Amino acid sequence: MFTRIFGKPKQEANALTTLDKLNETLEMLEKKEKVLQKKAAAEVEKAKEFTKAKNKRAAIQCLKRKRLYEQQIEQLGNFQLRIHDQMILLEGAKATTETVDALRTGAAAMKAMQKATNIDDVDKTMDEINEQTENMKQIQEALATPIGAAADFDEDELEAELEELEGAELEEQLLQPATTAPAAPVQVPAGRLPVRAAPQKRTAEDDELAALQAEMAL
């Protein structure tokens, strides 16, 4: 266990050191390749000058050196390709190792969590919760049950009494006399008011008739 813990940083350091070394080698090869390319180009220019001067042998020597430089350039290109392949493989292996380590850490954490909460503890806890819930339900039902004189009341009798009260109230409402609404005043159009009969003047005969009726009443 301790070897794994203390060995992991060392492995990562070795991988990073190797990648740095490969990068340095790659940069060195690229610089050499540029130098050889310049030398090959220079030999081509020399060969052109010797050709103009009709110095065929010297021109051929320049072309031979150019080909040697080109072979070295090709070889350096192959070296660079191999280093690139090695860097890609190393980076892939490093990513794989980190992924496996992360998965291993996650699995260990999950195992520790499962060990801390086994199935027996979970079942026991759920049983305790269900028992407490049932006890609380019984307590609430006990508190809601009527006690004393209220427990002796018959619900059916109370409902029958309530129905009698409702029937009596309905019957009382039916027996009450209907109230008549006051007659609305008759609207008489303006200018059409009823004409009162003018009082007639009393005659002498009327006076005599009234006196006779008074005497008869005595």
Side-chain angles (χ1 to χ4, degrees), residues 41-54:
E43 294 297 334
V44 173
E45 295 298 329
K46 291 179 181 179
K48 290 180 181 179
E49 294 177 359
F50 286 131
T51 301
K52 291 179 182 179
K54 304 299 181 178

Side-chain angles (χ1 to χ4, degrees), residues 26 28-37 69-83:
L26 185 62
M28 181 268 295
L29 293 175
E30 290 175 350
K31 290 179 181 179
K32 285 186 176 182
E33 183 180 3
K34 290 180 181 179
V35 172
L36 292 174
Q37 288 175 350
Y69 290 143
E70 288 176 349
Q71 290 178 357
Q72 292 181 8
I73 292 171
E74 184 179 359
Q75 187 177 13
L76 291 177
N78 293 330
F79 291 163
Q80 294 178 33
L81 182 60
R82 290 182 181 180
I83 290 177

Side-chain angles (χ1 to χ4, degrees), residues 17-31 83 87:
T17 302
T18 304
L19 286 173
D20 293 338
K21 181 63 177 178
L22 290 173
N23 279 320
E24 292 177 0
T25 304
L26 185 62
E27 292 177 358
M28 181 268 295
L29 293 175
E30 290 175 350
K31 290 179 181 179
I83 290 177
M87 292 176 64

Side-chain angles (χ1 to χ4, degrees), residues 2-210:
F2 292 101
T3 303
R4 182 184 301 173
I5 294 175
F6 293 103
K8 181 180 177 183
K10 186 176 180 181
Q11 292 176 358
E12 291 182 354
N14 292 335
L16 293 175
T17 302
T18 304
L19 286 173
D20 293 338
K21 181 63 177 178
L22 290 173
N23 279 320
E24 292 177 0
T25 304
L26 185 62
E27 292 177 358
M28 181 268 295
L29 293 175
E30 290 175 350
K31 290 179 181 179
K32 285 186 176 182
E33 183 180 3
K34 290 180 181 179
V35 172
L36 292 174
Q37 288 175 350
K38 290 181 180 180
K39 290 182 177 182
E43 294 297 334
V44 173
E45 295 298 329
K46 291 179 181 179
K48 290 180 181 179
E49 294 177 359
F50 286 131
T51 301
K52 291 179 182 179
K54 304 299 181 178
N55 191 349
K56 184 177 180 182
R57 184 175 181 179
I60 292 174
Q61 292 296 326
C62 290
L63 293 177
K64 287 181 179 180
R65 288 192 294 271
K66 178 185 78 72
R67 289 188 178 182
L68 291 174
Y69 290 143
E70 288 176 349
Q71 290 178 357
Q72 292 181 8
I73 292 171
E74 184 179 359
Q75 187 177 13
L76 291 177
N78 293 330
F79 291 163
Q80 294 178 33
L81 182 60
R82 290 182 181 180
I83 290 177
H84 277 296
D85 292 339
Q86 189 67 28
M87 292 176 64
I88 292 173
L89 291 174
L90 185 59
E91 290 175 352
K94 183 174 178 293
T96 302
T97 303
E98 292 176 352
T99 303
V100 172
D101 289 338
L103 293 175
R104 186 182 293 111
T105 303
M110 182 66 68
K111 185 177 180 180
M113 293 173 64
Q114 291 178 354
K115 185 178 181 180
T117 56
N118 55 33
I119 188 63
D120 295 334
D121 293 338
V122 174
D123 292 338
K124 183 179 179 180
T125 302
M126 293 305 298
D127 292 339
E128 291 177 355
I129 293 175
N130 293 330
E131 184 178 358
Q132 293 175 2
T133 303
E134 186 65 24
N135 292 336
M136 183 58 65
K137 183 178 179 181
Q138 292 178 2
I139 292 172
Q140 292 175 352
E141 291 178 353
L143 293 175
T145 303
I147 60 176
D152 298 332
F153 294 153
D154 189 351
E155 295 291 336
D156 295 336
E157 292 181 357
L158 293 175
E159 291 181 1
E161 184 177 354
L162 179 61
E163 291 179 358
E164 290 180 1
L165 292 175
E166 292 176 350
E169 184 178 358
L170 179 61
E171 184 178 357
E172 183 178 354
Q173 291 178 358
L174 294 176
L175 294 177
Q176 288 181 355
T179 58
T180 57
V186 179
Q187 299 292 334
V188 179
R192 294 186 180 182
L193 295 175
V195 180
R196 295 182 180 180
Q200 297 180 354
K201 297 181 179 180
R202 297 177 64 86
T203 60
E205 293 178 356
D206 294 333
D207 294 338
E208 290 178 358
L209 180 59

